[in-house]
Amino acid sequence: MTVILDGKSLADKICEQLKSETQKLSKKPKLAVIYAGDNPASQIYVKNKQKKADYIGFDSVVISLPNDVTEENLLEHIYILNEDDDVNGILVQLPLPEGINTQKIIEAIEPVKDCDGFTAYNFGRLALGYKPYAYPCTPKGIVKLLEHYNIKLQSSHTVVIGRSNIVGKPVSLLLQQKNSTVTMVNSYTKNLKDITKTADILISAAGLPNFITKEFIKNNAVIVDVGINRTEYGLTGDVDFNDCFESASFITPVPGGIGPMTIAMLMENTLELYKIQRLFKI
């Protein structure tokens, strides 16, 4: 019988724990989100993040900048937040407007305030097998969800579709640290179906709606759908959920799977960074 990996339920439990812990603090953690441009999807994501931060009891601020913002102006805002002792987590909502060097902007964030875990310092420590100040939110949420359902990671074969710095690369590194054998594939991979059908765990972050059908998976595979694609028929993932459902042992829904876990991990990272910064001061 196929089990749905209920990310929303687990994320809600995690956020309740964070809320309970935050209520005991003498000072609230503070999350700052920088949003530039007019991307409708980004506006929704930022609103959801701020709403969750407020619910947990964090202070939160959203810095909204116009689509024609300059790199210099963006950097100025980051430098100010870096120097603000009241700010514990800094997040730059992606994608940024055209003409902005995304990595340059991310690298301007102090690693100890990098609640997305995207700076070279934090990513580099992850790649070397050391603990970063913060793990990237979506990969961290994927691993936590799999472990919550007692899915065996050690000695499993995981195939990751997509090689982005946000999901594909970091989740591959995290799973290797859990002793999973990881194969990364992309749009240039030959015989893609032959490879994905060997996966005990298939993670798709391709950004292609309903791309994965039952022909891509072996029986009883674990399917993790990271895709969030807005189509004329509504929100859908990379995985054709109905087509793959009976063939999978576990599967994430879209929405309600990895999305809520990503936001929960952002909140968890913010609280963890708050604690680290407090230790620095001591």
Side-chain angles (χ1 to χ4, degrees), residues 8 12 58 70 73 84 91 115 117 131 143 145 157-158 162 167 175 184 200 204 216 219 237:
K8 184 179 184 306
D12 287 345
F58 294 171
T70 64
N73 188 232
D84 188 343
L91 178 153
C115 53
K131 182 177 172 60
V143 172
L145 183 61
H157 178 212
T158 302
V167 180
L175 288 168
M184 291 185 68
D200 302 310
S204 182
F216 283 81
N219 284 335

Side-chain angles (χ1 to χ4, degrees), residues 147-162:
E147 291 181 332
H148 177 74
Y149 280 87
N150 296 314
I151 293 169
K152 183 182 178 184
L153 302 180
Q154 183 167 304
S155 300
S156 67
H157 178 212
T158 302
V159 174
V160 178
I161 305 176

Side-chain angles (χ1 to χ4, degrees), residues 124-252:
R125 289 187 65 85
L126 172 61
L128 291 169
Y130 304 140
K131 182 177 172 60
Y133 288 128
Y135 290 94
C137 300
T138 299
K140 183 181 181 182
I142 291 170
V143 172
K144 187 158 285 195
L145 183 61
L146 292 174
E147 291 181 332
H148 177 74
Y149 280 87
N150 296 314
I151 293 169
K152 183 182 178 184
L153 302 180
Q154 183 167 304
S155 300
S156 67
H157 178 212
T158 302
V159 174
V160 178
I161 305 176
R163 54 185 174 180
S164 73
N165 292 335
I166 296 174
V167 180
K169 290 176 185 176
V171 79
S172 298
L173 293 168
L174 271 175
L175 288 168
Q176 287 177 62
Q177 291 177 14
K178 299 290 183 179
N179 298 317
S180 177
T181 299
V182 180
T183 301
M184 291 185 68
V185 297
N186 56 69
S187 57
Y188 294 94
T189 302
K190 295 180 180 179
N191 304 315
L192 181 60
K193 289 181 182 179
D194 293 337
I195 298 172
T196 59
K197 287 176 74 172
T198 67
D200 302 310
I201 302 171
L202 179 62
I203 300 174
S204 182
L208 299 171
N210 296 318
F211 175 64
I212 301 299
T213 60
K214 63 184 178 183
E215 287 76 23
F216 283 81
I217 65 175
K218 71 176 183 180
N219 284 335
N220 295 318
V222 177
I223 310 299
V224 177
D225 190 353
V226 187
I228 301 177
N229 307 291
R230 298 180 185 280
T231 71
E232 59 181 309
Y233 305 106
L235 200 65
T236 186
D238 291 349
V239 177
D240 187 328
F241 185 88
N242 293 330
D243 191 54
C244 294
F245 184 81
E246 292 186 2
S247 300
S249 56
F250 295 85
I251 189 169
T252 58

